Amino acid sequence: MGSALSTFVGAIGSVKELIQVMVKVCDVFNKPPDHDGMGNAPKVGQNRDRLIKEAQQQMGMDAVHDYNFIFCGPTKVVKSTLINAIRGVKPNDKDAAQVGISEVTQDVRCYEYPGLPRVKLYDAPGAGTRSHPSATYFMDKNLYAFDCIFLMYDGSFLDCCRHILEEAHTWGKPVAFLRTKADRLLEDVMYNSGVDDEQLAKQQLHAQVQTAFQQQVVAYHGPHHLFLISARHLRLAGFDEVAFFEYIRQAAASRQST
């Protein structure tokens, strides 16, 4: 009973932290950016800035007044589900991102954050398929045009992830990793290890995910932000959701001088 009570109290504390961070996020996003986000990144030939502007115009992106985040990665890593959860909409809502058993997103699509018109969340098709090959995915989807790239995965660091990450480095674009389906992973850890204490199982899960990330990503590509999240239970803040929203806030704040 004591363990269950402490877990419940801890969950309430996490939700409060998430609410506090989201209030800060709203404060930041209620102010427009004061620069276009191109920064002083390395040049990709002589046409880098021109290509970025052309891509932004092609997608109808307002790089001056909006914050533009894109969620990409392999198929079936619940990109659309996560975008719905961030926006606080349900799959059956009229303006929700489409979700399904098969891959339903075939084009880059833009979604607004309700109440925060300057926030644009882009849902990209799954990478590494015949329709969306890994080798050309970064350029085909104009990933270089966005403020920040969220690279989602749910297991091994696939070839498509490597291509996206290497191209992002070339273009000087920030990438943060999202290890999804944390709720299912937690169930697996508790079942496989025979651990009944959820908090202990979460510690084990974080350690396993971090170890794999170090081996698959950091060892070859250097340090990156990694967030373990559950798209289906995002607002319960049971994993790294607070840190994830704080990262979004900081990414937006970097485009403001005050």
Side-chain angles (χ1 to χ4, degrees):
M1 179 64 179
S3 175
L5 179 59
S6 61
T7 299
F8 177 71
V9 172
I12 293 176
S14 297
V15 172
K16 285 184 177 179
E17 287 183 39
L18 180 59
I19 292 172
Q20 291 170 353
V21 169
M22 291 184 70
V23 168
K24 294 178 181 178
V25 169
C26 292
D27 288 342
V28 171
F29 284 137
N30 278 323
K31 301 175 183 177
D34 58 13
H35 61 83
D36 61 11
M38 290 189 180
N40 298 313
K43 294 291 182 183
V44 181
Q46 298 297 316
N47 298 320
R48 174 186 179 277
D49 291 353
R50 178 180 62 81
L51 289 172
I52 290 176
K53 289 181 179 179
E54 287 179 353
Q56 291 169 342
Q57 291 173 355
Q58 175 187 338
M59 292 185 290
M61 182 188 300
D62 186 344
V64 177
H65 301 100
D66 293 342
Y67 303 91
N68 301 288
F69 302 95
I70 190 162
F71 295 79
C72 62
T75 60
K76 307 312 296 176
V77 292
V78 298
K79 296 182 292 293
S80 301
T81 300
L82 176 61
I83 287 177
N84 286 338
I86 293 172
R87 299 171 63 232
V89 301
K90 297 179 180 179
N92 293 329
D93 289 347
K94 182 178 180 181
D95 59 345
Q98 283 188 294
V99 297
I101 296 176
S102 60
E103 185 70 15
V104 296
T105 303
Q106 294 300 323
D107 302 293
V108 175
R109 300 178 183 178
C110 176
Y111 297 92
E112 291 190 357
Y113 195 122
L116 295 173
R118 292 193 177 101
V119 181
K120 299 297 187 292
L121 307 176
Y122 288 77
D123 188 6
T129 65
R130 181 175 297 181
S131 301
H132 310 286
S134 300
T136 60
Y137 184 87
F138 187 92
M139 298 300 295
D140 290 343
K141 310 310 173 196
N142 299 325
L143 299 189
Y144 52 86
F146 293 88
D147 292 319
C148 181
I149 300 169
F150 287 108
L151 182 50
M152 300 175 61
Y153 73 112
D154 67 355
S156 300
F157 189 66
L158 302 178
D159 192 52
C160 61
C161 298
R162 179 179 60 80
H163 277 288
I164 293 171
L165 182 59
E166 291 177 351
E167 289 279 6
H169 285 176
T170 300
W171 283 79
K173 289 295 177 176
V175 177
F177 285 83
L178 302 179
R179 179 64 165 96
T180 59
K181 304 178 183 178
D183 51 327
R184 301 177 191 177
L185 290 173
L186 181 62
E187 292 176 0
D188 290 342
V189 168
M190 296 182 73
Y191 177 80
N192 294 330
S193 64
V195 174
D196 294 326
D197 187 315
E198 185 174 291
Q199 293 305 312
L200 179 58
K202 284 183 179 180
Q203 293 175 10
Q204 293 182 8
L205 174 58
H206 272 96
Q208 292 175 15
V209 170
Q210 284 290 345
T211 298
F213 187 69
Q214 291 286 330
Q215 295 171 347
Q216 296 172 349
V217 179
V218 177
Y220 300 98
H221 304 283
H224 284 80
H225 290 280
L226 169 66
F227 304 104
L228 176 64
I229 61 173
S230 169
R232 293 193 299 176
H233 305 293
L234 189 72
R235 301 302 174 101
L236 295 180
F239 299 94
D240 295 338
E241 290 82 2
V242 173
F244 167 58
F245 276 98
E246 174 61 20
Y247 179 87
I248 292 178
R249 186 192 69 79
Q250 291 180 3
S254 69
R255 290 191 51 201
Q256 297 175 353
S257 59
T258 57

